[in-house]
Amino acid sequence: MSAGANGLEQHHRQPARPGEGSRVSPANPPGRPLLASALGGLGLLAGMVLIAEGGRWLPSDPASIAPFQDAGDPKPASPTPMHDTQLGQPARKIAEDLIAPPPLDISGIERIEPRPPLSELGLAPAPKTPMPQDWRQTLLFRPVATSSAVFEAMGRTVAISGTVDIGPNRTCMFDDIAWPCGQRARAAFNAWLRGRALKCLLPPDADRFAIAAPCVLGKQDVGAWLVSNGWAMAAPTGVYGKAEVVARNARMGIFGPPQ
């Protein structure tokens, strides 16, 4: 063999340097198929273990598993039917003498007088006597009481209808003690008015003479207030008779002690 051929053979037998010669393809690195197979085997083994352990906690009878209920559904899964064992029988009466009302004897009922009203607003209803058609509701501003049931306002003198006036010079007796009840009644009327406007039912020419008329302060009847508080008496044919009885029994106003 020639020297050239020997040199070529020696050249091929020399060890390869690091980084030279045959290289492994990065697409197929060594050991990757073995790792995938090992991981697959572990996953299969874990699945078999989970199936085996899950079978221990599940009931053997599938019918014993209750169906799923919504949290908002109050009905039970299998309600127990209820049967009435006494269907068609009347209910048994218990303590009939205590619960049932006793028989009422109409002949023993007695009609009595109604009790007095709890408030002075209901002492007297509106006058039922029909008034002339030309009379109108008139506002009288800045009224001033001249006696217990008479006042002046806007050049007119008006007496509260249905009442008996207590004159300013009158004196009253209470337990043998005389006191000026007329002046006190006029002062009480003025203190209650406080210059507020009164609405009275007046004829068109009421400014020419004094007249008796019904009046209200807001929604309160003036005559009812005077009589029920004892600062005036009820007229014999008026509507304030019961109000005077209440004032006398309670010793209010002129029927009571000196004030």
Side-chain angles (χ1 to χ4, degrees):
M1 186 176 296
S2 62
N6 293 334
L8 182 60
E9 182 177 359
Q10 293 177 0
H11 175 72
H12 285 285
R13 291 181 180 178
Q14 292 179 356
R17 301 177 184 176
E20 297 182 358
S22 62
R23 298 182 179 178
V24 181
S25 174
N28 296 317
R32 183 67 62 84
L34 295 178
L35 180 60
S37 299
L39 292 177
L42 290 176
L44 180 60
L45 181 60
M48 295 176 63
V49 171
L50 291 176
I51 293 175
E53 292 295 330
R56 295 173 55 186
W57 299 98
L58 294 177
S60 58
D61 187 8
S64 63
I65 302 176
F68 174 76
Q69 294 183 356
D70 191 3
D73 188 6
K75 297 182 180 180
S78 56
T80 304
M82 300 179 64
H83 302 281
D84 190 1
T85 57
Q86 299 180 355
L87 184 63
Q89 299 182 4
R92 183 168 59 92
K93 297 182 180 181
I94 300 176
E96 182 178 0
D97 296 338
L98 300 178
I99 299 176
L104 182 61
D105 186 8
I106 303 179
S107 61
I109 299 177
E110 180 183 359
R111 183 178 297 275
I112 62 175
E113 292 293 330
R115 62 168 177 79
L118 300 178
S119 173
E120 61 183 25
L121 298 179
L123 288 175
K128 298 181 180 180
T129 304
M131 304 300 291
Q133 296 183 357
D134 57 344
W135 288 37
R136 296 291 182 267
Q137 294 282 353
T138 305
L139 275 175
L140 301 178
F141 298 96
R142 296 181 297 276
V144 177
T146 58
S147 62
S148 68
V150 180
F151 69 92
E152 294 179 353
M154 302 174 60
R156 301 178 181 182
T157 302
V158 179
I160 305 300
S161 62
T163 65
V164 176
D165 180 54
I166 306 298
N169 299 325
R170 180 172 174 177
T171 58
C172 299
M173 298 294 296
F174 184 83
D175 292 342
D176 297 333
I177 300 176
W179 62 287
C181 58
Q183 296 181 9
R184 182 64 183 89
R186 181 180 60 182
F189 191 18
N190 268 321
W192 181 69
L193 289 175
R194 297 199 308 273
R196 293 176 293 179
L198 295 178
K199 183 183 292 185
C200 303
L201 188 62
L202 299 175
D205 54 351
D207 54 344
R208 299 180 183 177
F209 51 89
I211 187 172
C215 300
V216 293
L217 178 61
K219 294 183 179 181
Q220 191 168 8
D221 187 275
V222 178
W225 185 88
L226 290 173
V227 177
S228 62
N229 285 276
W231 300 124
M233 292 187 297
T237 58
V239 294
Y240 304 125
K242 294 182 179 179
E244 181 179 340
V245 173
V246 173
R248 286 181 179 272
N249 294 335
R251 295 186 174 183
M252 301 180 65
I254 64 174
F255 308 110
Q259 299 184 25

